[in-house]
Amino acid sequence: MSTLSLSPLRFSAQEITAVVELYASNPEYCRAADEYDPDDVRPDQVESDLREESGTDGCEVLLARDEQNTVVGLISLLHQHPKDGHPWIGMLIVHGAMQRRGLGRQLAASIEDRFRAASQDDLRSCCLSDLERCASNESPDWVVAGWSVHTSRAS
């Protein structure tokens, strides 16, 4: 399994280009989230959205990189949800070409460890119900990783 590192998104042109490629490699996510046209993911829109998100109090946007320093994923964290007080993974996305290799599970475990070290073992995660992988009863990735449904609502 690859060794991955996490670092805050710094908004360099190179990082934004990598995130655009990451989103474009996940057309199913783009359609389910209804935020980006998977055939035309615009860098200015991605940067604006991520700046807004990272500027939100208690939110952190992290890039996951492999041993070659290539961006292979993105994670958005909310350290304390305003409604339930729990930490949340708002988004965890792995580059389409790198999926089905355990990277998402590895990233989720890394985030779980991080929160556990801060005495927060009640981490929650969002999953778009419109994503076939998430809505499927055939052991979605998050179920295999030991997560369970807390609340379900249409995306």
Side-chain angles (χ1 to χ4, degrees):
M1 185 169 295
S2 296
T3 301
L4 302 177
S5 63
L6 294 173
S7 60
L9 177 65
R10 300 288 184 216
F11 296 98
S12 70
Q14 182 181 13
E15 287 181 336
I16 295 302
T17 298
V19 173
V20 167
E21 291 172 6
L22 179 72
Y23 286 177
S25 75
N26 285 279
E28 183 185 3
Y29 166 78
C30 289
R31 283 189 283 279
D34 198 29
E35 294 175 335
Y36 304 103
D37 174 352
D39 297 321
D40 185 27
V41 180
R42 294 187 4 249
D44 59 323
Q45 181 184 4
V46 169
E47 181 174 358
S48 175
D49 291 348
L50 291 174
R51 281 190 185 279
E52 181 179 343
E53 188 160 344
S54 67
T56 301
D57 190 37
C59 188
E60 185 177 14
V61 179
L62 303 171
L63 291 180
R65 297 176 186 272
D66 65 12
E67 297 95 348
Q68 290 77 39
N69 206 33
T70 302
V71 173
V72 297
L74 182 137
I75 301 172
S76 173
L77 299 176
L78 183 59
H79 291 271
Q80 185 175 12
H81 194 285
K83 292 186 179 178
D84 65 16
H86 296 288
W88 280 77
I89 297 174
M91 177 172 52
L92 188 158
I93 190 167
V94 173
H95 193 286
M98 300 297 292
Q99 292 178 5
R100 314 308 305 168
R101 299 179 190 190
L103 299 180
R105 209 169 319 164
Q106 184 180 350
L107 291 172
S110 174
I111 296 300
E112 284 180 296
D113 291 345
R114 190 176 192 209
F115 278 102
R116 240 184 248 112
S119 299
Q120 293 181 292
D121 58 1
D122 51 358
L123 179 64
R124 305 206 172 156
S125 180
C126 297
C127 186
L128 297 173
S129 61
D130 290 352
L131 276 173
E132 189 174 323
R133 286 191 312 263
C134 290
S136 166
N137 289 327
E138 298 176 13
S139 298
D141 296 341
W142 51 268
V143 172
V144 172
W147 294 67
S148 59
V149 175
H150 172 70
T151 307
S152 180
R153 64 177 179 248
S155 50

